[in-house]
Amino acid sequence: IMLSASVTNDTAFHPSTFILLGIPGMQDQHMWAAIPFCSMYILALVGNGTILYIIMTDRTLHEPMYLFLCLLSITDLILCSTTLPKMLTIFWLRSHIISYHGCLTQMFFVHTIFATESAVLLAMAFDRYVAICRPLHYTSILNATVIGKIGLACVVRGLLFVFPFVILIERLPFCGHHIIPHTYCEHMGIAKLACASIKPNTIYGLTVALSVTGMDVVLIATSYGLILRAVLRLPSKDAQFRAFSTCGAHICVILVFYVPAFFSFFTHRFGHQVPPHVHIVLANLYLLVPPVLNPLVYGINTKQIRLRIFGFFMGRR
């Protein structure tokens, strides 16, 4: 009897499984909604896989800008693969159940990879700043050792700031609540099911969003501001146009990454009037659209990679 009571209490504290509803209010359209999501996922896999293959097999592209692009492609592949396969099984196979530990693992990877990609975007903005504003010192500032340390720092930072999310969720009792109105597991979506105060979760989440990701946004904006100031001093109008075109494309992709993410984040805390299906769709887009666009903007928009992609598909190496 004591063993039975212990199991019951443990299940009440932490459910053995969660149920992911998908997109609330659109369950009847899940079958059709999966088609654009699946198409974008395939594009992300093909685009980022192609970029990785080309850079890794061509030693002439083993330069700082392309190595950072490799890091970005790796994070993009992991970012969309943490959520899309499970989402597609929900939409097409109606497989809504996910284990408690599986849910926490997905949450951990979603937030860690997002924080890592944010750091990589900052590193790429710094790379462009040095290349344009300090061209004579470019190779000495961004050598292979420094790039390796930057890449490691991006990953370690994500791990350090996101791991407390797991601890904060583990301390919460759920009292049998186990239905998540979402397509994947994320920190506040799980925390809201708890039958205890989630104030520490909210405070820590806000702190991380504003002090870590928010600081990345400020530093990225500063880098591109300095780049644009340097571009305006170029004597050639053609050079100015090319630089503005490149920077403009980069800024658009960065906005697509951060705006839906912050919208989703703040909606959990303050946006009680936002329709649930709008919130969930945008929460999926910031994990999927950037991995689709990044190979196009950062890769194909780069002449050296564009030529090698053309040669690759034409059967030449």
Side-chain angles (χ1 to χ4, degrees):
I1 295 173
M2 289 180 65
L3 179 62
S4 175
S6 175
V7 171
T8 303
N9 288 338
D10 184 63
T11 304
F13 197 84
H14 287 155
S16 58
T17 60
F18 285 113
I19 295 176
L20 294 167
L21 284 185
I23 304 175
M26 293 182 62
Q27 284 89 341
D28 293 341
Q29 288 84 44
H30 275 176
M31 184 72 69
W32 303 108
I35 296 174
F37 282 117
C38 184
S39 302
M40 293 170 73
Y41 182 46
I42 292 170
L43 286 174
L45 294 178
V46 172
N48 287 287
T50 302
I51 295 293
L52 278 174
Y53 176 79
I54 288 171
I55 294 175
M56 292 174 68
T57 56
D58 192 334
R59 296 190 64 84
T60 63
L61 295 180
H62 291 183
E63 297 176 4
M65 181 176 73
Y66 303 110
L67 294 177
F68 283 129
L69 185 55
C70 260
L71 282 175
L72 185 66
S73 290
I74 291 169
T75 55
D76 276 340
L77 286 172
I78 300 173
L79 186 65
C80 58
S81 295
T82 55
T83 58
L84 260 294
K86 178 59 182 175
M87 186 202 305
L88 293 177
T89 64
I90 292 171
F91 287 175
W92 279 334
L93 304 179
R94 300 189 179 183
S95 176
H96 295 269
I97 296 174
I98 185 170
S99 70
Y100 172 79
H101 290 103
C103 192
L104 261 60
T105 301
Q106 187 184 56
M107 176 200 77
F108 177 76
F109 276 102
V110 166
H111 293 300
T112 298
I113 300 303
F114 177 82
T116 301
E117 179 151 341
S118 178
V120 171
L121 289 172
L122 174 59
M124 293 179 75
F126 176 69
D127 168 75
R128 291 299 83 207
Y129 164 76
V130 175
I132 293 172
C133 301
R134 298 286 188 273
L136 298 178
H137 303 95
Y138 184 64
T139 53
S140 60
I141 293 174
L142 289 171
N143 54 52
T145 304
V146 171
I147 292 170
K149 289 179 179 178
I150 290 174
L152 181 62
C154 291
V155 176
V156 170
R157 189 193 74 159
L159 292 170
L160 289 177
F161 280 103
V162 172
F163 186 72
F165 284 160
V166 178
I167 299 172
L168 289 169
I169 291 295
E170 283 280 6
R171 57 172 274 281
L172 294 173
F174 289 89
C175 305
H177 303 153
H178 63 286
I179 298 176
I180 303 175
H182 211 312
T183 55
Y184 61 86
C185 298
E186 49 97 36
H187 175 234
M188 287 306 296
I190 303 172
K192 281 184 171 182
L193 298 180
C195 51
S197 172
I198 61 170
K199 191 173 181 179
N201 300 69
T202 303
I203 292 172
Y204 184 72
L206 278 171
T207 302
V208 171
L210 297 177
S211 65
V212 179
T213 313
M215 185 57 66
D216 287 348
V217 173
V218 170
L219 293 174
I220 288 170
T222 302
S223 294
Y224 277 105
L226 294 171
I227 288 170
L228 292 175
R229 189 180 69 174
V231 167
L232 289 172
R233 295 174 180 174
L234 293 174
S236 169
K237 293 294 183 183
D238 184 53
Q240 284 186 1
F241 176 77
R242 288 200 305 271
F244 275 124
S245 175
T246 301
C247 288
H250 289 187
I251 291 169
C252 286
V253 171
I254 289 167
L255 288 174
V256 168
F257 181 72
Y258 284 112
V259 171
F262 277 111
F263 177 86
S264 174
F265 181 83
F266 287 113
T267 296
H268 267 305
R269 291 154 180 83
F270 312 113
H272 304 296
Q273 303 303 317
V274 177
H277 66 277
V278 173
H279 175 205
I280 302 307
V281 169
L282 284 173
N284 282 289
L285 289 181
Y286 86 81
L287 298 181
L288 187 57
V289 174
V292 173
L293 293 181
N294 286 340
L296 298 174
V297 173
Y298 290 105
I300 297 175
N301 203 31
T302 306
K303 182 180 179 181
Q304 290 87 338
I305 291 181
R306 188 167 62 246
L307 291 174
R308 283 159 180 81
I309 290 175
F310 180 75
F312 174 76
F313 285 107
M314 292 298 290
R316 296 194 297 270
R317 298 295 177 106

